[in-house]
Amino acid sequence: MKDVFTTVKQKALRGVFTLTFRRLLLKVIDTVGIIYLARLLPQESFGVFAIISFVVFTFLSFFSDVGLGAALIQKEKIEDDDIKTTFTVQQILVTILLVIAFFAANPLASFYNLGVEGVWLIRMLSLSLFITSFKTIPSILLERDLRFELLVIPEVIETVTYNVVAVVMAGSGYGVWSLVVAVVARTLLGAIALSIIKPWPIGYRLAKKSIHDLLHFGVPYQLNSVLALLKDNLAPTVIALWYGPAAVAYVNLAQNISSRPLELSTIVSRITFPTYSRIQGDTVRLKSWIEKSIHLMATLYFPAIIGLLVTAEPILRYLYADKSDKWLPALTTLIFFLLAAVPVFITTTYTNALYALGRPKVVLRLMVLYTVLTWAIGVPLIRWVGYSGIAITVSIITYLTIPLVVHEINKLVRLDTWEMVKRPLLASVIMGAATYLGVATFVSSLLTLVLAIILGGLLYCVLVYAIDHKMLKAELAKVWHTLRH
């Protein structure tokens, strides 16, 4: 048993390093692409793309899986019947959804005032659903084996493809079509790459036992995802109808910027879910690994999110625009999204632990609460204060509900959350205050903004070492020992 845990630990650590360093490179590419697109395209193009993405690639895609993919990852052992049944069910659902998308494109485009062009944009983007269905099984097989260094390869191909196609087409005047064609090209090349990296015998089968076992976990998991979808997509529904595509673009840009630090949480989550699932029977090890995950993410996440908070205005003015006010209407929305994002890595980690411990219904109940509160508070606030009301709503709900998440995980594993986060948080707050003063004093261009960010980062490194060096040294020594062996 010890050898099994050691192997899982080594694979998990290798996954952390692989995903962190390589995906950070991908996010640099992605961010550069978004900056260029933000300068090349009008706000309305981003808004229209956000609306059709919600209709097709975001909303419909949730019904093309019914949680079977997550169920395969969570199972301790999978059979050939499980794999082929998952693929067959997904193909049936995708075919149905493609037909629905084709015939629903006209009324949907009319509802959102997208015109005839909107009809064909929706139909074109629907192709991504069919292509994505061929990515599911090879991705799951690699994740179960914790082979994240191989999963990075198709991600590199997809990221480079999307940004190159989108920027080139946008520069050539294709408007919103540049974003849609880029998504389809990205999905196609990603599916081809995954099939080459992890070939598997494509087959069709409907095994009753597999369907029963997989749906028992998958349906609550997917219902949670659907609720998350409804919770997180007030912008392309209510805001699009009340304030138009430009307002949706401001909200989406603010969400995009505020989610950049969350990439660390996403990386760790992709590793922690299958990893926690493998050690779910050992509470002592699980407690240790969860707390180490929280401390690691706090050390890296807090300075990023607080740094964005104190540099939000110059980022919109000098980075996403060329010394203009083009994106400044997104500032209030961005600040509240960033405030809401401060503790998100904690809830994400604990949610993954609940899933790994086979408690999807607990997460489902929490997500029902999030969704109800989002619409109950969000719709009146958006009507009252404008599109920034959605970000204010997210902030309120985040701080109201985080004690509930901590309470649920502590029923299963007693965790000392505050002890893991207090020192990185203190170092980040001090760094943020100093950086804010620097920004207010001398930032007047993109170059001076970059300089302020670098100085803030250096200050944080000094502070976190002075405040938290004992725990960091102990954890890094354990990581180094594991990697060496």
Side-chain angles (χ1 to χ4, degrees):
M1 183 64 70
K2 184 176 180 180
D3 290 339
V4 173
F5 284 129
T6 301
T7 301
V8 172
K9 186 175 182 179
Q10 288 172 337
K11 285 187 174 183
L13 284 172
R14 183 175 61 190
V16 169
F17 280 94
T18 299
L19 284 180
T20 299
F21 291 110
R22 297 193 185 184
R23 284 192 59 129
L24 283 177
L25 175 62
L26 295 182
K27 285 304 168 182
V28 170
I29 297 171
D30 201 30
T31 301
V32 171
I34 291 172
I35 291 169
Y36 272 102
L37 290 170
R39 294 183 174 211
L40 289 170
L41 295 174
Q43 295 93 322
E44 287 75 12
S45 291
F46 283 99
V48 170
F49 179 69
I51 293 169
I52 62 172
S53 294
F54 166 74
V55 169
V56 179
F57 201 61
T58 303
F59 186 72
L60 292 179
S61 66
F62 273 91
F63 299 98
S64 67
D65 181 69
V66 294
L68 296 182
L72 280 181
I73 296 175
Q74 197 272 340
K75 285 192 71 172
E76 290 193 54
K77 183 179 180 181
I78 60 173
E79 307 291 343
D80 185 61
D81 279 354
D82 298 325
I83 294 173
K84 291 184 177 178
T85 297
T86 298
F87 180 69
T88 303
V89 172
Q90 192 174 37
Q91 286 287 293
I92 293 170
L93 292 173
V94 165
T95 301
I96 294 171
L97 291 172
L98 283 176
V99 174
I100 291 173
F102 185 86
F103 288 104
N106 206 321
L108 284 170
S110 176
F111 180 76
Y112 285 107
N113 298 314
L114 302 179
V116 177
E117 184 183 41
V119 174
W120 290 104
L121 286 168
I122 292 172
R123 290 172 177 171
M124 180 71 172
L125 200 60
S126 299
L127 293 175
S128 298
L129 297 177
F130 177 74
I131 300 169
T132 300
S133 66
F134 288 89
K135 297 171 56 179
T136 303
I137 298 301
S139 295
I140 289 170
L141 295 176
L142 290 172
E143 284 197 35
R144 282 186 59 84
D145 291 337
L146 301 178
R147 297 300 306 274
F148 295 100
E149 74 277 8
L150 295 179
L151 276 169
V152 170
I153 297 172
E155 291 175 357
V156 171
I157 294 172
E158 288 183 346
T159 301
V160 173
T161 299
Y162 174 81
N163 285 287
V164 169
V165 172
V167 171
V168 170
M169 290 188 67
S172 300
Y174 285 96
V176 68
W177 278 101
S178 59
L179 304 177
V180 173
V181 173
V183 168
V184 176
R186 174 185 67 190
T187 309
L188 177 60
L189 290 181
I192 293 171
L194 273 169
S195 298
I196 294 172
I197 293 167
K198 186 66 175 179
W200 64 283
I202 296 176
Y204 295 91
R205 190 175 301 166
L206 288 173
K208 289 184 179 180
K209 185 178 185 306
S210 294
I211 292 175
H212 175 270
D213 293 344
L214 293 170
L215 289 180
H216 180 73
F217 179 90
V219 170
Y221 181 94
Q222 198 67 2
L223 284 175
N224 174 68
S225 299
V226 172
L227 289 171
L229 170 73
L230 295 174
K231 175 179 72 71
D232 295 336
N233 283 278
L234 273 176
T237 50
V238 173
I239 293 175
L241 292 174
W242 288 346
Y243 300 105
V248 175
Y250 295 134
V251 172
N252 273 22
L253 182 68
Q255 284 180 319
N256 184 280
I257 296 172
S258 63
S259 68
R260 290 299 162 184
L262 288 174
E263 181 61 26
L264 173 65
S265 180
T266 302
I267 291 170
V268 176
S269 295
R270 287 187 62 185
I271 299 163
T272 54
F273 178 33
T275 303
Y276 294 164
S277 297
R278 297 296 172 275
I279 61 169
Q280 56 186 283
D282 190 331
T283 305
V284 175
R285 287 182 183 270
L286 187 61
K287 169 184 168 63
S288 175
W289 287 24
I290 293 174
E291 289 183 342
K292 288 184 191 315
S293 298
I294 290 293
H295 184 249
L296 168 67
M297 284 190 286
T299 303
L300 299 174
Y301 180 84
F302 280 146
I305 205 75
I306 292 176
L308 281 174
L309 264 170
V310 299
T311 58
E313 191 271 340
I315 282 175
L316 291 175
R317 185 184 298 276
Y318 302 121
L319 187 59
Y320 285 85
D322 188 12
K323 295 184 179 181
S324 75
D325 298 343
K326 178 180 179 180
W327 292 106
L328 281 186
L331 180 59
T332 301
T333 309
L334 173 57
I335 289 173
F336 277 100
F337 273 137
L338 288 168
L339 289 171
V342 171
V344 163
F345 74 94
I346 298 174
T347 56
T348 302
T349 303
Y350 290 173
T351 298
N352 274 294
L354 289 169
Y355 278 135
L357 291 167
R359 301 296 193 278
K361 291 182 181 179
V362 173
V363 183
L364 179 60
R365 289 197 296 269
L366 290 169
M367 191 55 65
V368 169
L369 176 62
Y370 296 156
T371 305
V372 170
L373 289 175
T374 298
W375 284 82
I377 300 173
V379 172
L381 263 181
I382 292 168
R383 196 62 172 171
W384 180 36
V385 303
Y387 55 83
S388 62
I390 180 58
I392 300 171
T393 300
V394 172
S395 295
I396 293 171
I397 294 172
T398 296
Y399 291 99
L400 282 178
T401 58
I402 190 171
L404 297 178
V405 181
V406 174
H407 175 70
E408 289 296 336
I409 191 63
N410 279 334
K411 288 181 181 178
L412 305 171
V413 185
R414 297 294 300 178
L415 302 168
D416 194 346
T417 305
W418 178 243
E419 181 63 27
M420 293 299 105
V421 304
K422 64 182 181 181
R423 285 178 291 273
L425 180 59
L426 175 61
S428 299
V429 169
I430 296 172
M431 177 275 296
T435 303
Y436 178 79
L437 292 175
V439 167
T441 303
F442 69 84
V443 169
S444 59
S445 65
L446 181 57
L447 180 61
T448 52
L449 172 62
V450 171
L451 179 60
I453 293 171
I454 292 172
L455 291 175
L458 292 173
L459 175 60
Y460 174 75
C461 291
V462 173
L463 289 168
V464 79
Y465 180 81
I467 295 172
D468 201 23
H469 69 278
K470 289 184 179 179
M471 183 173 288
L472 284 174
K473 284 177 69 175
E475 291 184 2
L476 289 175
K478 291 179 181 178
V479 170
W480 177 246
H481 175 76
T482 302
L483 290 176
R484 287 185 60 190
H485 293 83

